[in-house]
Amino acid sequence: MRRPLLLNGFMATGKTCVGELVAKRAGHPFIDLDQRIQIETGLSIAQVFAAHGEAHFRDLERTCLTRILDEALGAGRP
């Protein structure tokens, strides 16, 4: 079974760089959560924070991550 690898941590710690390298080596797609949020909202992350605050951004993260995992694993995941 194909299982996702999730990287989290503080800003500017290399998650994207490492994630891209690992995904390429494993032959799997790389999905950047911040990029997905920017595409879905039409706003940069800084704009989301400025206009709506951190709590809203965290809600967007949860919603978007859930959607990505559902797409990757199927809606029937535990």
Side-chain angles (χ1 to χ4, degrees):
M1 174 168 88
R2 193 174 125 190
R3 294 172 33 185
L5 172 65
L6 307 174
L7 301 177
N8 75 346
F10 293 108
M11 294 183 312
T13 57
K15 297 178 301 292
T16 298
C17 182
V18 170
E20 288 173 341
L21 292 170
V22 170
K24 183 177 180 179
R25 186 168 186 148
H28 294 295
F30 173 74
I31 300 169
D32 185 295
L33 186 57
D34 283 351
Q35 285 180 345
R36 276 285 182 100
I37 291 169
Q38 290 177 83
I39 289 166
E40 290 186 15
T41 64
L43 301 171
S44 71
I45 300 304
Q47 290 171 321
V48 172
F49 267 85
H52 305 287
E54 183 177 359
H56 179 74
F57 173 73
R58 300 300 173 203
D59 287 341
L60 288 171
E61 278 187 318
R62 274 188 293 279
T63 301
C64 194
L65 181 57
T66 299
R67 190 175 315 112
I68 290 167
L69 290 173
D70 284 345
E71 291 169 6
L73 300 173
R77 69 181 171 84

